[in-house]
Amino acid sequence: REKFFGDQVFRINVRGGDEISKLSQLLNSDNFKLDVWKSPSTFSHPVDVLVPSVSLQPVKSFLKSQALQYSVTIEDLQALLDKEDEEMQHNEGQER
Amino acid sequence: SNNNFNYGAYHSLEAIYHEMDNIAGEFPDLARRLKIGHSFENRSLYVLKFSTAEGKRRPAVWLNAGIHSREWISQATAIWTARKIVSDYGKDPAITSILEKMDIFLLPVANPDGYVYTQTKNRLWRKTRSLNSRSPCIGADPNRNWNSSFAGAGTSNNPCSEVYHGPHANSEVEVKSVVDFIQQHGNFKCFIDLHSYSQLLMYPYGYTVNKAPDAEELDEVARCAAKALASLSGTKYQVGPICTTVYPASGSSTDWAYDNGIKYAFTFELRDTGHYGFLLPANQIIPTAEETWLGLKTIMEHVRDHLY
């Protein structure tokens, strides 16, 4: 199974068309292998993006350079996945 | 359940299908498991039909879940809802009267290939697993593949995109199976699609900012449903048309349903608002399902009282 060690989910706040446009440059680039969890809209809603560990620094640099505010909503994705997997296996055992 | 199925846990496709069969077996006068087609990788597409009057093509409700495979709370809520329907029929006046007038069809796993892939290879897979002839990338977005402003705003013609619409409308066999079933039936009045996450309750359109002809009524119904949902644990939902509540999205199931005569067409984006996102812990399955049920019942009661 694919692992997501070190990957994080960023919530990026966008206020208006200009910021959406800047963010779209980042999201449309193939370089960072970003996975958009919640897409940009034209209505200033936050955007959630899964950032692979190798892209954390460049993405942070880009966001800073474009003055785009963000927060880390999921710091350790793999930990959540491991817990989920463990619970599923435990439940399977219980049901059996 | 009596068969030890823990509704407060996530399950494999096999376990969900087994439990659907159990429900049909335990309540043969009310529920039947029907195969409506197969997936790209040849897995069965099973629905549960809840009906109190077999043999008649009565007004019907379609509950769609799991079309985006990584949104696990959707499939989990759906199988809980199946058990809830059979448990409450004959006891709860609302669901009893709904089923006296209408049939309910529940598809808990609309994208079985994707679901299995999330459990075996990549937990964050969203699309189908169909092959693209001119690309190494796999799958199309099954919620951009419906014949409603197909290939319009909010979709992509790039097979590697998460919102790739597919080579043509209904190219995804999972989508076509549902379309064919609903069209052959001909008497669906309500279509509800369960997704996550964001806590939204939306109605058409996704493909245009223009108001749907029934937007006012749908908005009112949705607000009542959101209020009912919130009454349980205070979970707040935002209500509005798809296009202006999230983003433009063409080729979606809800828009297709509406444009094909199914007036009461809604999309739920279930818990949460981003703290866990797609990885909602299993201990939130039952609270989510219980509150969602109140919203679903509100919508179905309105449909029951406003059949057209």
Side-chain angles (χ1 to χ4, degrees):
Chain A
R1 286 176 84 183
E2 189 163 331
K3 298 291 185 189
F4 297 87
F5 293 119
D7 296 3
Q8 295 184 338
V9 177
F10 287 10
R11 172 157 285 189
I12 304 164
N13 297 315
V14 284
R15 297 155 298 191
D18 192 40
E19 291 194 341
I20 292 171
S21 173
K22 288 178 191 173
L23 180 59
S24 297
Q25 281 176 47
L26 178 71
L27 298 180
N28 292 335
S29 157
D30 281 337
N31 296 338
F32 302 122
K33 305 288 181 216
L34 303 176
D35 179 8
V36 179
W37 279 24
K38 204 162 137 185
S39 294
S41 72
T42 51
F43 308 102
S44 303
H45 294 153
V47 175
D48 291 343
V49 183
L50 170 60
V51 183
S53 55
V54 295
S55 303
L56 288 175
Q57 272 317 308
V59 168
K60 284 178 182 173
S61 300
F62 177 90
L63 294 173
K64 198 173 168 186
S65 71
Q66 303 297 320
L68 290 168
Q69 286 180 3
Y70 73 95
S71 57
V72 178
T73 49
I74 297 178
E75 264 192 46
D76 189 347
L77 186 71
Q78 190 58 44
L80 283 182
L81 290 171
D82 289 342
K83 185 159 190 279
E84 184 181 72
D85 206 37
E86 197 185 305
E87 282 177 1
M88 268 187 80
Q89 287 191 40
H90 176 73
N91 181 66
E92 244 178 85
Q94 295 277 78
E95 286 179 353
R96 203 162 38 239
Chain B
S1 74
N2 295 336
N3 303 293
N4 293 330
F5 186 93
N6 175 7
Y7 285 89
Y10 292 115
H11 291 85
S12 66
L13 181 71
E14 188 188 20
I16 291 174
Y17 280 177
H18 189 62
E19 183 62 7
M20 289 171 74
D21 204 32
N22 286 338
I23 288 171
E26 284 177 53
F27 298 89
D29 294 333
L30 179 58
R32 280 204 300 148
R33 190 183 75 163
L34 304 174
K35 180 171 170 173
I36 64 161
H38 58 86
S39 67
F40 182 81
E41 291 175 348
N42 212 26
R43 294 182 174 89
S44 298
L45 279 167
Y46 285 125
V47 299
L48 275 169
K49 178 186 178 184
F50 304 96
S51 180
T52 58
E54 272 309 315
K56 298 179 189 175
R57 194 136 292 177
R58 301 201 300 172
V61 174
W62 186 273
L63 301 179
N64 210 56
I67 201 170
H68 286 145
S69 41
R70 62 187 176 183
E71 298 165 8
W72 281 13
I73 188 61
S74 170
Q75 298 91 330
T77 294
I79 192 66
W80 182 97
T81 302
R83 178 56 70 172
K84 184 67 171 169
I85 290 171
V86 294
S87 301
D88 277 13
Y89 176 72
K91 295 173 192 149
D92 169 47
I95 191 59
T96 305
S97 72
I98 286 164
L99 283 167
E100 291 302 316
K101 268 196 166 173
M102 306 190 295
D103 295 342
I104 299 173
F105 291 80
L106 172 65
L107 175 61
V109 190
N111 178 6
D113 295 347
Y115 189 60
V116 169
Y117 198 75
T118 62
Q119 303 214 326
T120 55
K121 290 279 189 278
N122 179 352
R123 172 63 176 85
L124 298 175
W125 189 258
R126 164 187 165 99
K127 300 191 289 184
T128 61
R129 294 293 301 165
S130 57
L131 298 174
N132 290 301
S133 57
R134 282 183 285 253
S135 169
C137 291
I138 305 266
D141 183 341
N143 208 30
R144 300 288 185 277
N145 188 242
W146 301 67
N147 192 13
S148 181
S149 189
F150 177 78
T155 70
S156 171
N157 62 1
N158 177 359
C160 300
S161 168
E162 291 284 71
V163 291
Y164 172 52
H165 46 58
H168 57 82
N170 301 333
S171 62
E172 304 313 286
V173 65
E174 297 84 354
V175 170
K176 188 173 188 313
S177 299
V178 175
V179 167
D180 287 348
F181 188 92
I182 290 178
Q183 284 183 331
Q184 271 166 25
H185 184 282
N187 204 17
F188 276 89
K189 305 299 182 192
C190 177
F191 181 101
I192 301 175
D193 203 4
L194 301 184
H195 290 258
S196 77
Y197 58 93
S198 290
Q199 292 173 204
L200 307 169
L201 179 43
M202 301 178 287
Y203 50 86
Y205 284 116
Y207 66 75
T208 175
V209 294
N210 297 338
K211 265 173 95 164
D214 301 294
E216 270 182 40
E217 183 187 356
L218 295 179
D219 191 85
E220 203 181 311
V221 174
R223 283 185 200 285
C224 288
K227 192 174 170 189
L229 188 154
S231 69
L232 194 64
S233 311
T235 306
K236 289 196 171 71
Y237 268 55
Q238 208 180 321
V239 170
I242 296 166
C243 198
T244 53
T245 304
V246 276
Y247 36 71
S250 304
S252 74
S253 60
T254 304
D255 283 356
W256 173 85
Y258 185 77
D259 280 347
N260 282 271
I262 303 175
K263 181 180 178 188
Y264 298 106
F266 297 95
T267 297
F268 280 75
E269 291 277 2
L270 303 176
R271 287 194 194 182
D272 59 12
T273 53
H275 186 73
Y276 291 106
F278 301 122
L279 307 185
L280 197 71
N283 62 13
Q284 289 200 44
I285 294 174
I286 290 178
T288 302
E290 284 181 334
E291 68 192 14
T292 305
W293 176 240
L294 298 181
L296 292 174
K297 259 204 306 186
T298 303
I299 293 170
M300 291 194 289
E301 283 180 289
H302 183 90
V303 177
R304 175 200 65 198
D305 297 339
H306 296 84
L307 287 173
Y308 56 93

